[in-house]
Amino acid sequence: MIVCLGRSGSAAPWVTQRAVEIVELGKQPGKDPRIILKLAQLFRNRGVQVAHSHNWATLAETAAAARLSPGTRHLHAQHGQQHEEASLPTHRRVARGLLRARLLAGIPCVVVSESLRRFVAEEWRLRGAIHVIPNGVETMPRSEDARQRLRAELGIRAGSHVVGSVGRLSAVKDFGTAVRAVALLAQEGRDVHLVLVGDGDRRQQLGELRQQVGLDSRVHLVGRQDAVADWLSVMDVYVNSSVSEALSMSILEAMSMGLPIVATDVGDNRLLVDGPPPCGRVVGVGDAAGMSAALAATLDGPKEKWGAAGRERFLSGYTIERMTQRYADLYLAMAGRP
């Protein structure tokens, strides 16, 4: 079952398996203590053995409901380093209060990266087990037809180098550093383009920056795109310039395509990229010169070898199948089944 404390939202159509039921509890805005009793009753009536809460917004209610439902074990998953529900200060206060009271101390927790495991252990001081289950992504098919078609639409010559990235055009992604790094490459006389796939509140700022550095025709802001695999096919090197990550899904997608990676040293980026064997280069946050040098070394280096190493690493640990098997094993173990 997928239990919505309030109502189901835009993600409901993603659930295509008939065996998966979506339950809406109709939580009222603000404080609604009745939701804990409704959730506990649901656990008892349906014989729920494992209740899996996700991030801060469901932690307190699930912890309380599981205590009122004998036979239900609580597993919590945390996917971000920040307490991201800024609009839900009540949840944060309640959850922190529960933590201080040691009521959550024994609850096992799932995180998506080693860096997040360290954060949760230090910030929350949990005594329960912390399991690292990296997110998985679908294997992306590379398309030579899409590569040629999209490059032609953007006016990129067949022999040009293309550096690219996929993500929200937001402050945390720091694509300005990527623009400046490519500008330094262009100043060296390299025939290089930057393709940024995504949209966000920094789009206008990035458009102004590309004018300032003289790259109007070389930095392509193509907006949000559904066919991500086609746009990854355009790229020769994938760049991640984020100032904060846990586990970058876009890096995993690029690795599945066999692209070499240049990434900032945040989250698990170094673990993904450094290997052994390496599948690219890692640079400091905000270091445009360092990123430019790493991109140059990657463009001039063994791109195919690094790309192949990244794809092998992806296939061995970051596929959808690997992720779901890890969750299935954990659920069964918590339910006391072999």
Side-chain angles (χ1 to χ4, degrees):
M1 285 186 298
I2 296 176
V3 181
C4 307
L5 297 185
R7 302 293 180 189
S8 63
S10 59
W14 299 353
V15 181
T16 58
Q17 297 290 331
R18 290 186 177 182
V20 179
E21 179 185 0
I22 298 178
V23 178
E24 299 177 332
L25 295 185
K27 179 180 180 297
Q28 299 301 310
K31 296 180 180 179
D32 187 358
R34 295 175 302 171
I35 207 68
I36 294 173
L37 299 178
K38 292 175 72 173
L39 190 58
Q41 185 178 34
L42 177 69
F43 291 165
R44 292 193 299 268
N45 291 347
R46 302 296 289 273
V48 173
Q49 293 169 285
V50 179
H52 178 167
S53 59
H54 185 84
N55 283 355
W56 281 99
T58 59
L59 174 57
E61 288 90 344
T62 307
R67 280 180 163 266
L68 296 174
S69 175
T72 300
R73 297 199 59 194
H74 179 193
L75 171 69
H76 182 64
Q78 191 67 27
H79 282 204
Q81 291 196 8
Q82 304 303 319
H83 309 316
E84 62 287 327
E85 289 85 350
S87 62
L88 298 171
T90 300
H91 285 86
R92 293 200 305 276
R93 287 198 299 271
V94 170
R96 283 188 175 279
L98 290 170
L99 288 167
R100 283 195 294 270
R102 312 308 297 165
L103 294 179
L104 302 184
I107 294 175
C109 184
V110 173
V111 294
V112 297
S113 67
E114 286 294 334
S115 60
L116 191 52
R117 181 190 62 77
R118 293 191 295 271
F119 174 84
V120 167
E122 295 168 4
E123 175 77 6
W124 294 7
R125 299 176 184 175
L126 294 183
R127 292 179 182 172
I130 301 176
H131 306 271
V132 179
I133 301 181
N135 281 333
V137 301
E138 299 285 356
T139 303
M140 298 288 230
R142 193 169 183 85
S143 171
E144 187 60 33
D145 288 343
R147 177 182 175 88
Q148 295 178 9
R149 172 174 55 82
L150 293 174
R151 280 184 171 227
E153 289 179 8
L154 295 176
I156 300 174
R157 296 190 308 108
S160 300
H161 295 301
V162 177
V163 174
S165 194
V166 179
R168 289 176 292 110
L169 306 186
S170 61
V172 72
K173 298 300 182 182
D174 190 21
F175 285 128
T177 292
V179 172
R180 294 184 181 91
V182 170
L184 292 173
L185 291 175
Q187 290 172 15
E188 296 173 0
R190 290 180 178 268
D191 183 5
V192 61
H193 292 250
L194 176 64
V195 174
L196 298 179
V197 181
D199 211 344
D201 58 12
R202 294 301 173 101
R203 184 184 181 105
Q204 181 177 345
Q205 186 181 79
L206 289 168
E208 294 170 353
L209 177 60
R210 71 179 174 183
Q211 285 184 322
Q212 294 171 11
V213 296
L215 293 182
D216 254 357
S217 63
R218 290 180 177 269
V219 174
H220 308 274
L221 306 175
V222 302
R224 183 172 179 174
Q225 301 289 334
D226 292 327
V228 173
D230 287 352
W231 286 97
L232 288 171
S233 297
V234 171
M235 304 171 191
D236 299 306
V237 178
Y238 189 84
V239 65
N240 178 289
S241 51
S242 295
V243 300
S244 177
E245 292 277 7
L247 181 72
S248 170
M249 303 291 281
S250 63
I251 287 182
L252 294 180
E253 290 172 341
M255 289 169 64
S256 81
M257 300 274 291
L259 286 173
I261 311 295
V262 171
T264 46
D265 191 6
V266 295
D268 272 20
N269 284 1
R270 182 174 291 278
L271 181 66
L272 290 175
V273 175
D274 264 3
C279 62
R281 296 290 183 92
V282 177
V283 301
V285 171
D287 183 1
M291 181 171 287
S292 178
L295 287 170
T298 306
L299 290 170
D300 296 339
K303 293 192 296 295
E304 291 77 14
K305 180 180 178 181
W306 287 350
R311 180 171 170 78
E312 284 300 313
R313 188 164 303 129
F314 162 78
L315 291 173
S316 67
Y318 299 97
T319 62
I320 290 285
E321 294 77 14
R322 185 77 177 102
M323 177 192 70
T324 53
Q325 186 60 57
R326 285 167 168 163
Y327 274 108
D329 291 345
L330 180 56
Y331 291 157
L332 290 172
M334 291 186 66
R337 295 171 58 186

